[in-house]
Amino acid sequence: QAQFTFALLVERGAIAPDGPAADRFIAGALKDVVMHEVGHALGLRHNFRASTGVTQAQLRDARFTAERGVSNSVMDYNALNTPLASEPPAEYHMSTLGAYDYWAIEYGYRQWPAADEARELAALAARADHDPSLAYGTDEDLVANNDPLINQRDLGDDPMAFARRQLALSRELWDLTQARQLAADDDMTVYRRNLERGLAGLSAAVPMLTKYVGGSFTSRAVAGSRQPLVAPVPAAQQRQALDILLREVFASASFRFDPAFLSRLGIDQFDRFAPDRPPTSPDFSLASAVAGIQRAALDQLMSDAKAVRMADAETQVADPRTLPSYAEVQERLSAAVWSELQGRGPSRTIDSLRRNLQREHLKRVVAGLLRPMPSAAADVRAVHRQVAQQLESEIKRALAGGGWSAIARAHLADSHATLVEALR
């Protein structure tokens, strides 16, 4: 993320890569890391919910971020506070200790008279039930649940808004880089690096969004706080996150670049044979890079675990019909992935990025029909059978309509045969 933000600021002209502002930027990154590791030395664990105690407006306030930081803890994996092109800069890094850090250290190290200690510690701990600046979620919370507020590398009280910002910043970096004119003796490495940085930024936004779909907000509150420990994400937020994924991650338009730009993706010749990774090829595969991002999104949205969570949520609300179901998610996903089937005209095609996406989607639909699965995920087979039957009918009708390019016709015919065989 430091490379991404630094590259974007350089492309904007906000930082000279060899000037004092660049030195301050690097020093801020180092200070952030050192504070985090000293926190571990003092006994603190990760706190991946800490950033949610700072509002989006506060992140844009230079005075607030200088005095309070961009998060409530250095123990979070805090993202960089990168402004949009229309916004003024504030602190980029977590530059000071947060409210949670002071509170946790006070609990661990402050000394009271023995007679008062239990009462004082209980009162100190109780502050967390009502003070959002003390919100906490650590490693097992990150791994074991589907809470959209517990993430690595996000900022602010609205992770969905942060993910949307990240998508916008990635596209800005691509646009500025494609328009950049290099010196005659430059090796063009910056083109490839900034393309990959933008893809990495977009990839990081995907799990933040998929966690909203079928997700739940969780709490560590005690009984006296009278707060629920688990609450399904409101239906409107779930559908909003799905809308963003369908529009931004599963659309070819999101990954269109100038062909001349893609033919000038330079590589660092001195960095091609690093011992910890395969040799770098000069031929960059955009299709493979995009497929990796889309596979990760499909794996989350089409998983057994997602189906189980969405079914369980029905018992946690008064009217389960208000929540999106696993069937609704799969129907919308299939319609978006195979949108070319609804087209008309004498010259119809499906580009390579879309063919890759459709094959990956089809692979998961078929797997949902054919592989053994736990009884708790019974909805998966029923829903995927419904999707497969609908898709088989639509592809058959589309092929009969004709007008497809040779590669699109072969792709659709193969997809249709796969569905027929799986259903049989």
Side-chain angles (χ1 to χ4, degrees):
Q1 283 198 339
Q3 291 177 337
F4 175 95
T5 297
F6 188 83
L8 180 58
L9 295 174
V10 169
E11 294 298 332
R12 286 178 181 172
I15 282 183
D18 55 355
D23 291 340
R24 288 194 297 272
F25 183 93
I26 294 168
L30 295 174
K31 180 181 179 182
D32 189 355
V33 172
V34 171
M35 289 191 297
H36 179 99
E37 302 307 339
V38 170
H40 282 316
L42 293 173
L44 299 187
R45 297 195 65 196
H46 291 139
N47 182 1
F48 297 127
R49 199 195 287 266
S51 57
T52 62
V54 178
T55 68
Q56 300 295 317
Q58 288 169 333
L59 288 172
R60 304 273 50 87
D61 184 335
R63 175 177 291 182
F64 178 92
T65 55
E67 294 176 354
R68 295 276 305 275
V70 300
S71 172
N72 281 308
S73 178
V74 298
M75 304 314 297
D76 203 337
Y77 283 6
N78 293 305
L80 271 78
N81 187 25
T82 311
L84 298 175
S86 59
E87 295 173 338
E91 289 289 312
Y92 296 118
H93 303 92
M94 184 63 179
S95 59
T96 186
L97 301 179
Y100 168 84
D101 303 319
Y102 285 106
W103 175 72
I105 290 296
E106 182 177 8
Y107 187 93
Y109 287 92
R110 183 172 175 178
Q111 295 187 25
W112 284 280
D116 301 334
E117 184 175 56
R119 182 183 68 255
E120 294 290 351
L121 286 174
L124 191 60
R127 286 174 49 197
D129 288 339
H130 305 286
D131 187 345
S133 70
L134 306 180
Y136 178 72
T138 192
D139 296 75
E140 47 268 34
D141 297 302
L142 181 73
V143 173
N145 70 23
N146 202 41
D147 188 334
L149 298 180
I150 301 178
N151 300 294
Q152 296 176 343
R153 307 299 180 191
D154 68 336
L155 277 184
D157 58 348
D158 186 348
M160 192 187 310
F162 177 83
R164 296 181 73 173
R165 290 174 63 88
Q166 194 62 45
L167 296 173
L169 292 168
S170 292
R171 294 205 168 85
E172 183 192 356
L173 178 61
W174 289 337
D175 290 343
L176 291 174
T177 303
Q178 288 185 93
R180 179 174 177 174
Q181 297 297 314
L182 300 180
D185 59 348
D186 201 300
D187 64 4
M188 297 191 282
T189 304
V190 67
Y191 288 151
R192 178 162 177 165
R193 284 179 174 167
N194 283 358
L195 173 61
E196 292 180 327
R197 286 165 180 159
L199 289 169
L202 193 150
S203 178
V206 167
M208 298 178 195
L209 294 167
T210 57
K211 287 170 75 172
Y212 276 92
V213 182
S216 297
F217 298 127
T218 59
S219 170
R220 286 172 171 250
V222 296
S225 69
R226 301 187 182 279
Q227 298 180 32
L229 295 182
V230 180
V233 172
Q237 285 186 292
Q238 293 194 43
R239 293 189 173 103
Q240 184 183 6
L242 183 59
D243 287 342
I244 298 170
L245 287 163
L246 298 182
R247 184 176 62 249
E248 302 284 355
V249 178
F250 295 122
S252 288
S254 297
F255 305 100
R256 287 198 180 125
F257 299 92
D258 181 352
F261 169 72
L262 292 178
S263 69
R264 296 196 295 267
L265 302 179
I267 57 176
D268 186 339
Q269 300 293 346
F270 294 102
D271 195 36
R272 291 186 65 187
F273 295 100
D276 58 343
R277 62 178 183 269
T280 303
S281 170
D283 186 11
F284 180 80
S285 174
L286 178 66
S288 295
V290 172
I293 295 171
Q294 293 174 334
R295 275 196 298 269
L298 290 173
D299 285 342
Q300 289 297 314
L301 293 174
M302 302 180 74
S303 69
D304 293 358
K306 186 73 71 180
V308 171
R309 279 193 293 266
M310 299 188 83
D312 288 345
E314 295 176 12
T315 66
Q316 298 167 349
V317 295
D319 185 359
R321 293 172 298 179
T322 62
L323 294 176
S325 66
Y326 186 74
E328 176 187 332
V329 171
Q330 300 314 313
E331 288 169 2
R332 293 193 59 198
L333 181 59
S334 181
V337 169
W338 296 87
S339 59
E340 288 86 350
L341 299 180
Q342 310 307 319
R344 297 288 185 272
S347 180
R348 304 164 71 182
T349 192
I350 305 173
D351 66 40
S352 62
L353 271 63
R354 295 286 291 176
R355 295 196 302 272
N356 285 343
L357 171 61
Q358 289 166 2
R359 279 189 283 265
E360 292 294 335
H361 176 260
L362 188 62
K363 186 187 304 181
R364 287 158 180 78
V365 170
V366 168
L369 285 174
L370 301 181
R371 63 177 168 75
M373 64 184 63
S375 59
D379 286 345
V380 173
R381 179 173 286 117
V383 169
H384 284 209
R385 183 179 301 280
Q386 180 175 279
V387 169
Q389 290 171 335
Q390 177 70 21
L391 193 53
E392 185 273 333
S393 175
E394 291 177 355
I395 294 177
K396 182 178 180 180
R397 184 168 57 249
L399 283 168
W404 294 99
S405 66
I407 188 64
R409 187 169 61 252
H411 164 67
L412 290 176
D414 182 67
S415 299
H416 183 263
T418 299
L419 282 166
V420 168
E421 192 67 23
L423 286 166
R424 183 181 300 144

